Amino acid sequence: MHFYITGDTHRSFDRIEDFCYGYETTTEDVMIILGDAGINYWLDLSDKELKGRLSGMDITFFCVHGNHEARPWEAADYEEKIWNEGIVYVEEQYPNILFAKDGEIYNFHGKKVMPIGGAYSVDKYYRIRNGLPWFESEQPDEMIKEYVEQQLDKAKWNVDIVLSHTVPIEAEPVWAFIPGLDQSAVDKSTEKWLQKIYDWLDFTEWYAGHYHVESEECGVRIMYEDYDEICAELQQDDELKNLLNSQLTSTCYADPELRTLTIDV
C-alpha cells in the first residue's frame, strides 16, 4: 500500500488517471486529495457520472474537504465507516471514494495523520451572483473546531502529519494572491484558527492545497498538480533483513550466551 498525495483537482481527473497508469497502482493504494476534489459539486446526475468514472480507477481516493464542494452528508446517502482506525464517509456503490472526517486521526503505516479541511471562497459573491455553487458549510464550524481540538487533546497535541486545505495564516503564500483583490474583505477565520493549532502542535509534516501553487511556506508544503508519497514503509522483507544484518554483529551483545542487545535497531 502506498499513500500518494496531490492538490486540488476540481473535477478534472485526467492527470490522476495518467499517474495511476504510470505507477501501476491498485485500489490498495491511496491518493490523498488536499481539498476541492469537486466530486460533490453540482449535486446532480453529473456527480454520479463522475463517481462512476472514478470507481473504475485503480486507486482509492481519500479526499480532504475543500471550499468548492459540499460536505458528504449534504450531498448523498453516505455512511460512516472505520478505515485505517478513523472514520470516513463512503457510499456503498463507490467503495474506493472516501471522504475524510475533520479531526479524525488515521493510521498510515504507523503514522498519525489528521485532516483539517475547509476554507473561505474569495469568489463567494461572484458565485452567488452568477448562480454557481457556493456552500455555506465551506469553512469548519464551531462544532468541527471543537472536535478537532478535543482529538488533539487526546493525542496530547502530537500528530505526525496534518492534511489541510488552506494554511495557517503565517504560511499564506501572499505572493500568489489574486491581484487587485481586497484582502480585508476575505474571511481569514479558518487561517487564524489553523495558526493557533500550528503554534501549539507537535508535528512532523503539514500539507495543504487551495492556492493552486506549489511551494513551501513556514514548513507547510502547499501542493497543486505535483505529487509525493507520504508514510512510506519498507516494501520488502529483504530490506528489513539487510538492515538488521548490517547492525547485528557479535559486538552488539553484552552477554553472548544471553544475546542481549545493547544497541537500538
Side-chain angles (χ1 to χ4, degrees), residues 169-230:
I169 197 161
E170 292 180 10
E172 286 186 317
V174 296
W175 53 270
F177 284 176
I178 299 172
L181 180 66
D182 181 6
Q183 291 296 317
S184 68
V186 176
D187 183 347
K188 303 280 189 177
S189 57
T190 297
E191 287 78 13
K192 291 176 180 177
W193 174 63
L194 287 175
Q195 186 65 47
K196 293 179 182 178
I197 291 175
Y198 177 96
D199 291 341
W200 280 92
L201 186 62
D202 182 8
F203 67 93
T204 304
E205 300 168 71
W206 189 311
Y207 298 88
H210 189 46
Y211 294 94
H212 295 193
V213 297
E214 297 163 5
S215 70
E216 185 164 330
E217 311 286 337
C218 301
V220 177
R221 181 170 173 186
I222 302 172
M223 303 186 72
Y224 184 32
E225 294 185 339
D226 50 337
Y227 299 90
D228 206 343
E229 180 176 0
I230 65 172

Side-chain angles (χ1 to χ4, degrees), residues 3 8 66 74 96 122 128 172 178 205 249:
F3 291 95
D8 307 20
E74 298 172 319
N96 68 323
V122 296
I128 292 172
E172 286 186 317
I178 299 172
E205 300 168 71
T249 66

Side-chain angles (χ1 to χ4, degrees), residues 121-139:
S121 296
V122 296
D123 59 351
K124 170 183 175 179
Y125 295 105
Y126 171 85
R127 288 174 166 273
I128 292 172
R129 283 196 308 269
N130 291 277
L132 295 171
W134 174 76
F135 304 96
E136 189 174 357
S137 61
E138 61 183 8
Q139 298 194 81

